[in-house]
Amino acid sequence: MQSPASDDRADRDSIESSTRTRISRSRIDRYSIQRLLASGGGSDVFLASHAYTALPVALKVLHEGAERRARFASEVEALARVRGPGIVELLDAGEHEELQFIACRALDGRALDGLVAARGQLSVPDTLKIGLALARALERCHAHGVVHRDVKPANVFIGAGPGSPVTLLDFGIAKLDRAGMPTVKLTRENTLLGTPEYMAPESLLLSSDCDHRVDVYGLGVTLYECLTGRVPFEGNYADVLMKLSTSAPPPLETLREGVPAALAQLILRALQRAPVDRFQNLTEFRTALEALPSDPEHYIDLFGRSATLPRGEPPKSTLADSPLAKATPEPGQYRRQHPRAPYVALARVALSSGAQIDGRIEEISEGGLQFVGPDGVPAGDSATIRLALPVSGRIRDVRATARWSRAVRANHATGFEFAELAPETRAEIRQYVELMCAESRDAD
């Protein structure tokens, strides 16, 4: 008969079976694995704790492959060079039983892509706050000879602390300037690096002349998406390249009312097809953003703890005509009965139809959670959610009902209300939320 710990491991494996994770152990070197946070083509990211200090870390474990081994060294060097505010903090790196890992400071909060999916559009002050923080972080990167090359909402983290700090993540495809040293080729010829919708035209064309201005373009696309809930050109590589080559980005003012003309013009300049027509460096871009007026009365804390809603009508979803949006109410229509806290973990939603949706949790409370995945769940539908509890990591199945859902591009955010919780499950979620809320008050 299996022990409860063995049952939890089997359940965890079933949650992670749809990912590309290669890890089947509970410890890597001196780090104890708690749960899987994310999985990509080249690596998996786990929440882990140091065996001696018990401090939490985000442990990035690279998949096998000679090319990835070379890129591992480049990523470690990039993170070591750019240490400072607004950039994920490197704590450790090493190799254990042929697994290469990078340990960074664990962050409490949520990714910007999930926030945009849940909100549909962000306010102008929030977008300016994010833009300025990223511009300063990228300015620091470029000053130390590092071009990020993958600036997009999925690589931006919004913290849960005072002021919702903004952090730039994932330097896995960063380009390093090694003055006086030959360039080390880390990829095969004609290999595309990055996500096409956020890549500058010269990157899409695989030009050898790509420089720091690709990050200007990536930041421009990120701000465009924050304000409108969409990117200038959507699709796969061929689609984006064709659209970008034959048309200009749809004007911001046609997609979102109330965007200041000066801000729209700055973003449009960052999105120019020719690098020479963009801001020539991040200092120029940052200075232009700083010169824009900001109304602090309209500022919304990105996690709602200082919630004062802006005057006027809330922004409408950019996909309001979709069948899912027509059938589902807006997130704000439900009064929260329980305090919530950011909580990032992979989860699986099983619908009564037998369909399954793999995605991630971003917020949790005793009353429910917010789920982000490739598909949404219409309001009123019931589901069983398999998740890892936030303190112990134990795997539990909980029944829940979808109360709202919003679609933004490839992401769907769904708010679930728990139908029932076992007493020990409720107690653990309450313990976690109370701890997070107490830490936030202490920091204030």
Side-chain angles (χ1 to χ4, degrees):
M1 181 175 177
Q2 285 186 316
S3 68
S6 299
D7 290 339
D8 277 346
R9 169 56 64 183
D11 284 342
R12 185 175 304 167
D13 289 344
S14 72
I15 284 183
E16 300 170 3
S17 62
S18 65
T19 72
R20 288 178 284 271
T21 182
R22 310 291 177 88
I23 307 301
S24 59
R25 65 193 76 186
S26 60
R27 182 162 172 158
I28 296 176
D29 197 48
R30 53 197 170 276
Y31 296 98
S32 298
I33 302 296
Q34 296 180 15
R35 66 175 184 272
L36 181 64
L37 297 176
S39 184
S43 63
D44 301 310
V45 181
F46 299 86
L47 179 66
S49 61
H50 194 283
Y52 305 113
T53 66
L55 291 175
V57 301
L59 193 70
K60 181 175 183 177
V61 182
L62 275 71
H63 295 167
E64 298 170 359
E67 181 179 309
R68 294 193 180 103
R69 293 178 70 85
R71 194 157 284 291
F72 165 80
S74 180
E75 183 173 5
V76 171
E77 181 180 346
L79 286 167
R81 283 194 195 186
V82 301
R83 295 171 69 94
I87 298 171
V88 63
E89 182 181 359
L90 173 69
L91 299 176
D92 190 15
E95 185 169 342
H96 179 72
E97 297 179 359
E98 299 185 353
L99 289 172
Q100 292 177 304
F101 64 86
I102 299 172
C104 292
R105 184 174 299 281
L107 301 172
D108 294 322
R110 64 193 302 182
L112 179 58
D113 64 335
L115 187 65
V116 173
R119 295 276 183 87
Q121 299 170 347
L122 300 189
S123 71
V124 170
D126 280 344
T127 301
L128 277 174
K129 169 189 168 64
I130 291 167
L132 277 169
L134 291 176
R136 291 172 183 135
L138 289 167
E139 189 177 8
R140 181 180 186 83
C141 292
H142 297 174
H144 290 81
V146 175
V147 181
H148 189 279
R149 294 204 292 184
D150 201 17
V151 180
K152 58 184 180 182
N155 288 337
V156 179
F157 201 82
I158 309 299
S164 301
V166 178
T167 304
L168 181 63
L169 310 175
D170 199 345
F171 284 71
I173 63 171
K175 178 181 178 181
L176 277 66
D177 176 17
R178 296 183 174 92
M181 297 177 62
T183 300
V184 178
K185 189 173 286 294
L186 298 177
T187 55
R188 296 182 296 274
E189 292 291 341
N190 300 322
T191 300
L192 197 68
L193 289 176
T195 305
E197 293 150 317
Y198 302 92
M199 292 171 65
E202 61 270 28
S203 296
L204 287 169
L205 294 169
L206 303 174
S207 170
S208 59
D209 297 329
C210 294
D211 59 22
H212 59 277
R213 289 172 292 186
V214 301
D215 286 345
V216 172
Y217 187 93
L219 179 54
V221 178
T222 297
L223 299 184
Y224 189 103
E225 185 173 0
C226 285
L227 290 170
T228 67
R230 57 176 286 181
V231 291
F233 305 106
E234 188 167 1
N236 58 28
Y237 168 77
D239 292 335
V240 173
L241 185 58
M242 182 186 69
K243 293 173 184 175
L244 193 150
S245 301
T246 58
S247 59
L252 276 162
E253 55 270 24
T254 66
L255 303 175
R256 166 83 179 270
E257 295 180 0
V259 176
L263 176 57
Q265 290 169 5
L266 295 187
I267 294 174
L268 180 61
R269 181 177 174 187
L271 296 176
Q272 290 300 298
R273 188 176 299 133
V276 70
D277 294 329
R278 298 176 209 145
F279 293 102
Q280 294 305 287
N281 52 61
L282 263 297
T283 301
E284 282 188 15
F285 200 172
R286 186 256 305 161
T287 302
L289 288 170
E290 287 177 335
L292 295 175
S294 177
D295 184 356
E297 291 184 5
H298 286 202
Y299 175 72
I300 304 175
D301 183 280
L302 290 171
F303 283 96
R305 281 186 300 274
S306 305
T308 48
L309 294 175
R311 300 183 183 94
E313 292 296 320
K316 294 182 174 64
S317 169
T318 56
L319 297 183
D321 293 331
S322 71
L324 183 64
K326 286 182 178 179
T328 57
E330 292 293 313
Q333 291 184 3
Y334 288 93
R335 179 183 295 276
R336 291 189 176 88
Q337 298 179 352
H338 304 282
R340 55 180 172 151
Y343 173 61
V344 178
L346 296 190
R348 171 170 290 167
V349 172
L351 304 178
S352 55
S353 64
Q356 293 183 336
I357 306 171
D358 289 323
R360 69 180 188 266
I361 301 167
E362 292 211 335
E363 290 185 332
I364 197 167
S365 75
E366 287 182 62
L369 57 81
Q370 186 180 115
F371 176 83
V372 176
D375 299 299
V377 181
D381 279 15
S382 297
T384 299
I385 304 175
R386 175 158 287 191
L387 56 89
L389 295 181
V391 177
S392 66
R394 292 191 298 265
I395 306 300
R396 293 291 181 264
D397 289 336
V398 297
R399 296 286 299 167
T401 302
R403 291 306 184 195
W404 58 265
S405 191
R406 185 197 293 277
V408 175
R409 300 186 58 245
N411 283 325
H412 289 71
T414 302
F416 283 99
E417 180 182 359
F418 294 139
E420 57 183 353
L421 288 178
E424 65 273 14
T425 299
R426 182 180 298 278
E428 183 165 336
I429 294 174
R430 182 190 303 122
Q431 177 188 356
Y432 172 78
V433 174
E434 289 176 349
L435 176 64
M436 295 295 292
C437 291
E439 287 182 352
S440 177
R441 288 193 298 269
D442 291 344
D444 288 340

